[in-house]
Amino acid sequence: MNEASLIQRTEQLLRSQETHFPAGGVARAEWSMWLEATRFPATVPVTLRLERVETEADWEAMYALRLQIEKPFGNTNPRLVEGFVEDIRKKARALDGSWFLARAGSDIVGEIGLVPFELAGVRFGRLQDVDIAPQWQGRGLGRELLSAVCQVARDMELSALALRARSDGWVKDWYARFGFRRVDS
């Protein structure tokens, strides 16, 4: 199974856990992207700290953060955001994934999900919900967030990280600058 096929399979498994936002609707073009562990950054940033979302208080903080993150996309309905967070919780439980709040000092500045998979003999992590709160954007924290999750992936002995990125936005180029490469046609 090639990398693109592995990522496609993770997409199916992740989507199968969605209740509030099931697959369907408007199709959008996305790129499958892959980063080998040998290309992970060598050091972990000191300004960001990742904290695993575990308690109800953590999930409430995640909800408050998602309200901020979703607002620029026009998703201002609290019930919509609540459903989004519930889908994240379901994926974390069902697929043994971890979501992390990123802190700069005492401030929550972003979040990221990491779901480990072992498919076709390859143990890798799928990144989900890589986000920095709007008021913290433009400060290099997204790059630090990715660097921090690479350390988590190293600790888990994952051979690579994978993700899906919209093909029509700047984000695919941002991931490419970090070292991710496109693996589908």
PDB file of all heavy atoms in Angstrom, residues 108-127:
ATOM      1  N   ILE A 108      -3.950  29.603  26.200  1.00  0.00           N
ATOM      2  CA  ILE A 108      -4.181  28.557  25.198  1.00  0.00           C
ATOM      3  C   ILE A 108      -4.180  29.250  23.841  1.00  0.00           C
ATOM      4  O   ILE A 108      -4.983  30.147  23.591  1.00  0.00           O
ATOM      5  CB  ILE A 108      -5.514  27.837  25.438  1.00  0.00           C
ATOM      6  CG1 ILE A 108      -5.475  27.097  26.782  1.00  0.00           C
ATOM      7  CG2 ILE A 108      -5.805  26.860  24.300  1.00  0.00           C
ATOM      8  CD1 ILE A 108      -6.798  26.485  27.197  1.00  0.00           C
ATOM      9  N   VAL A 109      -3.248  28.846  22.974  1.00  0.00           N
ATOM     10  CA  VAL A 109      -3.068  29.536  21.697  1.00  0.00           C
ATOM     11  C   VAL A 109      -3.448  28.684  20.488  1.00  0.00           C
ATOM     12  O   VAL A 109      -3.582  29.196  19.385  1.00  0.00           O
ATOM     13  CB  VAL A 109      -1.620  30.038  21.534  1.00  0.00           C
ATOM     14  CG1 VAL A 109      -1.269  31.008  22.670  1.00  0.00           C
ATOM     15  CG2 VAL A 109      -0.629  28.892  21.475  1.00  0.00           C
ATOM     16  N   GLY A 110      -3.611  27.378  20.693  1.00  0.00           N
ATOM     17  CA  GLY A 110      -3.941  26.511  19.567  1.00  0.00           C
ATOM     18  C   GLY A 110      -4.216  25.102  20.016  1.00  0.00           C
ATOM     19  O   GLY A 110      -4.264  24.816  21.217  1.00  0.00           O
ATOM     20  N   GLU A 111      -4.396  24.239  19.025  1.00  0.00           N
ATOM     21  CA  GLU A 111      -4.646  22.828  19.306  1.00  0.00           C
ATOM     22  C   GLU A 111      -4.247  21.988  18.108  1.00  0.00           C
ATOM     23  O   GLU A 111      -4.090  22.494  17.002  1.00  0.00           O
ATOM     24  CB  GLU A 111      -6.108  22.600  19.680  1.00  0.00           C
ATOM     25  CG  GLU A 111      -7.096  23.085  18.650  1.00  0.00           C
ATOM     26  CD  GLU A 111      -7.782  21.990  17.858  1.00  0.00           C
ATOM     27  OE1 GLU A 111      -7.489  20.799  18.049  1.00  0.00           O
ATOM     28  OE2 GLU A 111      -8.609  22.341  17.028  1.00  0.00           O
ATOM     29  N   ILE A 112      -4.070  20.683  18.383  1.00  0.00           N
ATOM     30  CA  ILE A 112      -3.692  19.744  17.337  1.00  0.00           C
ATOM     31  C   ILE A 112      -4.108  18.346  17.768  1.00  0.00           C
ATOM     32  O   ILE A 112      -4.092  18.030  18.956  1.00  0.00           O
ATOM     33  CB  ILE A 112      -2.170  19.817  17.060  1.00  0.00           C
ATOM     34  CG1 ILE A 112      -1.794  19.086  15.760  1.00  0.00           C
ATOM     35  CG2 ILE A 112      -1.365  19.327  18.250  1.00  0.00           C
ATOM     36  CD1 ILE A 112      -0.389  19.401  15.270  1.00  0.00           C
ATOM     37  N   GLY A 113      -4.482  17.532  16.796  1.00  0.00           N
ATOM     38  CA  GLY A 113      -4.809  16.139  17.060  1.00  0.00           C
ATOM     39  C   GLY A 113      -3.801  15.229  16.384  1.00  0.00           C
ATOM     40  O   GLY A 113      -3.272  15.549  15.315  1.00  0.00           O
ATOM     41  N   LEU A 114      -3.531  14.101  17.031  1.00  0.00           N
ATOM     42  CA  LEU A 114      -2.618  13.100  16.492  1.00  0.00           C
ATOM     43  C   LEU A 114      -3.251  11.732  16.707  1.00  0.00           C
ATOM     44  O   LEU A 114      -3.495  11.330  17.847  1.00  0.00           O
ATOM     45  CB  LEU A 114      -1.255  13.164  17.188  1.00  0.00           C
ATOM     46  CG  LEU A 114      -0.223  12.113  16.788  1.00  0.00           C
ATOM     47  CD1 LEU A 114       0.122  12.207  15.297  1.00  0.00           C
ATOM     48  CD2 LEU A 114       1.027  12.257  17.635  1.00  0.00           C
ATOM     49  N   VAL A 115      -3.538  11.047  15.600  1.00  0.00           N
ATOM     50  CA  VAL A 115      -4.154   9.723  15.655  1.00  0.00           C
ATOM     51  C   VAL A 115      -3.143   8.724  15.084  1.00  0.00           C
ATOM     52  O   VAL A 115      -2.789   8.820  13.915  1.00  0.00           O
ATOM     53  CB  VAL A 115      -5.469   9.671  14.862  1.00  0.00           C
ATOM     54  CG1 VAL A 115      -6.118   8.296  14.988  1.00  0.00           C
ATOM     55  CG2 VAL A 115      -6.434  10.764  15.320  1.00  0.00           C
ATOM     56  N   PRO A 116      -2.671   7.784  15.920  1.00  0.00           N
ATOM     57  CA  PRO A 116      -1.719   6.789  15.416  1.00  0.00           C
ATOM     58  C   PRO A 116      -2.438   5.691  14.639  1.00  0.00           C
ATOM     59  O   PRO A 116      -3.544   5.278  14.999  1.00  0.00           O
ATOM     60  CB  PRO A 116      -1.089   6.231  16.690  1.00  0.00           C
ATOM     61  CG  PRO A 116      -2.135   6.404  17.733  1.00  0.00           C
ATOM     62  CD  PRO A 116      -2.922   7.626  17.346  1.00  0.00           C
ATOM     63  N   PHE A 117      -1.805   5.238  13.581  1.00  0.00           N
ATOM     64  CA  PHE A 117      -2.335   4.141  12.769  1.00  0.00           C
ATOM     65  C   PHE A 117      -1.217   3.159  12.492  1.00  0.00           C
ATOM     66  O   PHE A 117      -0.055   3.555  12.365  1.00  0.00           O
ATOM     67  CB  PHE A 117      -2.885   4.646  11.427  1.00  0.00           C
ATOM     68  CG  PHE A 117      -4.188   5.370  11.533  1.00  0.00           C
ATOM     69  CD1 PHE A 117      -4.225   6.749  11.588  1.00  0.00           C
ATOM     70  CD2 PHE A 117      -5.385   4.666  11.572  1.00  0.00           C
ATOM     71  CE1 PHE A 117      -5.433   7.423  11.686  1.00  0.00           C
ATOM     72  CE2 PHE A 117      -6.597   5.331  11.666  1.00  0.00           C
ATOM     73  CZ  PHE A 117      -6.623   6.708  11.727  1.00  0.00           C
ATOM     74  N   GLU A 118      -1.587   1.899  12.382  1.00  0.00           N
ATOM     75  CA  GLU A 118      -0.675   0.892  11.853  1.00  0.00           C
ATOM     76  C   GLU A 118      -1.433   0.193  10.746  1.00  0.00           C
ATOM     77  O   GLU A 118      -2.387  -0.550  10.992  1.00  0.00           O
ATOM     78  CB  GLU A 118      -0.218  -0.098  12.914  1.00  0.00           C
ATOM     79  CG  GLU A 118       0.847  -1.015  12.354  1.00  0.00           C
ATOM     80  CD  GLU A 118       1.740  -1.646  13.403  1.00  0.00           C
ATOM     81  OE1 GLU A 118       1.758  -1.175  14.549  1.00  0.00           O
ATOM     82  OE2 GLU A 118       2.421  -2.612  13.029  1.00  0.00           O
ATOM     83  N   LEU A 119      -1.029   0.484   9.518  1.00  0.00           N
ATOM     84  CA  LEU A 119      -1.673  -0.073   8.331  1.00  0.00           C
ATOM     85  C   LEU A 119      -0.593  -0.615   7.407  1.00  0.00           C
ATOM     86  O   LEU A 119       0.424   0.054   7.183  1.00  0.00           O
ATOM     87  CB  LEU A 119      -2.491   1.001   7.598  1.00  0.00           C
ATOM     88  CG  LEU A 119      -3.622   1.661   8.387  1.00  0.00           C
ATOM     89  CD1 LEU A 119      -4.157   2.860   7.617  1.00  0.00           C
ATOM     90  CD2 LEU A 119      -4.731   0.658   8.658  1.00  0.00           C
ATOM     91  N   ALA A 120      -0.811  -1.778   6.866  1.00  0.00           N
ATOM     92  CA  ALA A 120       0.130  -2.410   5.933  1.00  0.00           C
ATOM     93  C   ALA A 120       1.557  -2.423   6.485  1.00  0.00           C
ATOM     94  O   ALA A 120       2.530  -2.203   5.764  1.00  0.00           O
ATOM     95  CB  ALA A 120       0.075  -1.709   4.571  1.00  0.00           C
ATOM     96  N   GLY A 121       1.673  -2.624   7.806  1.00  0.00           N
ATOM     97  CA  GLY A 121       2.982  -2.704   8.435  1.00  0.00           C
ATOM     98  C   GLY A 121       3.665  -1.371   8.665  1.00  0.00           C
ATOM     99  O   GLY A 121       4.835  -1.331   9.041  1.00  0.00           O
ATOM    100  N   VAL A 122       2.958  -0.266   8.432  1.00  0.00           N
ATOM    101  CA  VAL A 122       3.536   1.067   8.623  1.00  0.00           C
ATOM    102  C   VAL A 122       2.850   1.717   9.826  1.00  0.00           C
ATOM    103  O   VAL A 122       1.629   1.818   9.879  1.00  0.00           O
ATOM    104  CB  VAL A 122       3.332   1.950   7.367  1.00  0.00           C
ATOM    105  CG1 VAL A 122       3.944   3.326   7.574  1.00  0.00           C
ATOM    106  CG2 VAL A 122       3.909   1.277   6.132  1.00  0.00           C
ATOM    107  N   ARG A 123       3.654   2.156  10.806  1.00  0.00           N
ATOM    108  CA  ARG A 123       3.129   2.842  11.996  1.00  0.00           C
ATOM    109  C   ARG A 123       3.394   4.337  11.822  1.00  0.00           C
ATOM    110  O   ARG A 123       4.541   4.784  11.826  1.00  0.00           O
ATOM    111  CB  ARG A 123       3.814   2.308  13.247  1.00  0.00           C
ATOM    112  CG  ARG A 123       3.253   2.870  14.523  1.00  0.00           C
ATOM    113  CD  ARG A 123       3.711   2.075  15.735  1.00  0.00           C
ATOM    114  NE  ARG A 123       3.616   2.830  16.956  1.00  0.00           N
ATOM    115  CZ  ARG A 123       2.488   3.195  17.548  1.00  0.00           C
ATOM    116  NH1 ARG A 123       1.335   2.860  17.018  1.00  0.00           N
ATOM    117  NH2 ARG A 123       2.499   3.893  18.671  1.00  0.00           N
ATOM    118  N   PHE A 124       2.318   5.084  11.644  1.00  0.00           N
ATOM    119  CA  PHE A 124       2.439   6.518  11.389  1.00  0.00           C
ATOM    120  C   PHE A 124       1.313   7.258  12.087  1.00  0.00           C
ATOM    121  O   PHE A 124       0.366   6.655  12.583  1.00  0.00           O
ATOM    122  CB  PHE A 124       2.424   6.809   9.876  1.00  0.00           C
ATOM    123  CG  PHE A 124       1.134   6.435   9.196  1.00  0.00           C
ATOM    124  CD1 PHE A 124       0.202   7.414   8.888  1.00  0.00           C
ATOM    125  CD2 PHE A 124       0.849   5.119   8.854  1.00  0.00           C
ATOM    126  CE1 PHE A 124      -0.993   7.082   8.261  1.00  0.00           C
ATOM    127  CE2 PHE A 124      -0.328   4.776   8.226  1.00  0.00           C
ATOM    128  CZ  PHE A 124      -1.266   5.756   7.933  1.00  0.00           C
ATOM    129  N   GLY A 125       1.423   8.577  12.133  1.00  0.00           N
ATOM    130  CA  GLY A 125       0.420   9.401  12.781  1.00  0.00           C
ATOM    131  C   GLY A 125      -0.298  10.281  11.788  1.00  0.00           C
ATOM    132  O   GLY A 125       0.307  10.782  10.841  1.00  0.00           O
ATOM    133  N   ARG A 126      -1.574  10.439  12.006  1.00  0.00           N
ATOM    134  CA  ARG A 126      -2.391  11.319  11.172  1.00  0.00           C
ATOM    135  C   ARG A 126      -2.687  12.595  11.965  1.00  0.00           C
ATOM    136  O   ARG A 126      -3.212  12.532  13.076  1.00  0.00           O
ATOM    137  CB  ARG A 126      -3.684  10.588  10.805  1.00  0.00           C
ATOM    138  CG  ARG A 126      -4.735  11.423  10.122  1.00  0.00           C
ATOM    139  CD  ARG A 126      -4.329  11.826   8.702  1.00  0.00           C
ATOM    140  NE  ARG A 126      -5.321  12.754   8.192  1.00  0.00           N
ATOM    141  CZ  ARG A 126      -6.318  12.437   7.395  1.00  0.00           C
ATOM    142  NH1 ARG A 126      -6.456  11.200   6.973  1.00  0.00           N
ATOM    143  NH2 ARG A 126      -7.179  13.339   6.999  1.00  0.00           N
ATOM    144  N   LEU A 127      -2.289  13.733  11.430  1.00  0.00           N
ATOM    145  CA  LEU A 127      -2.561  15.017  12.074  1.00  0.00           C
ATOM    146  C   LEU A 127      -3.982  15.462  11.776  1.00  0.00           C
ATOM    147  O   LEU A 127      -4.465  15.309  10.653  1.00  0.00           O
ATOM    148  CB  LEU A 127      -1.583  16.082  11.596  1.00  0.00           C
ATOM    149  CG  LEU A 127      -0.128  15.865  11.966  1.00  0.00           C
ATOM    150  CD1 LEU A 127       0.717  17.045  11.490  1.00  0.00           C
ATOM    151  CD2 LEU A 127       0.047  15.651  13.453  1.00  0.00           C
TER     152      LEU A 127
END
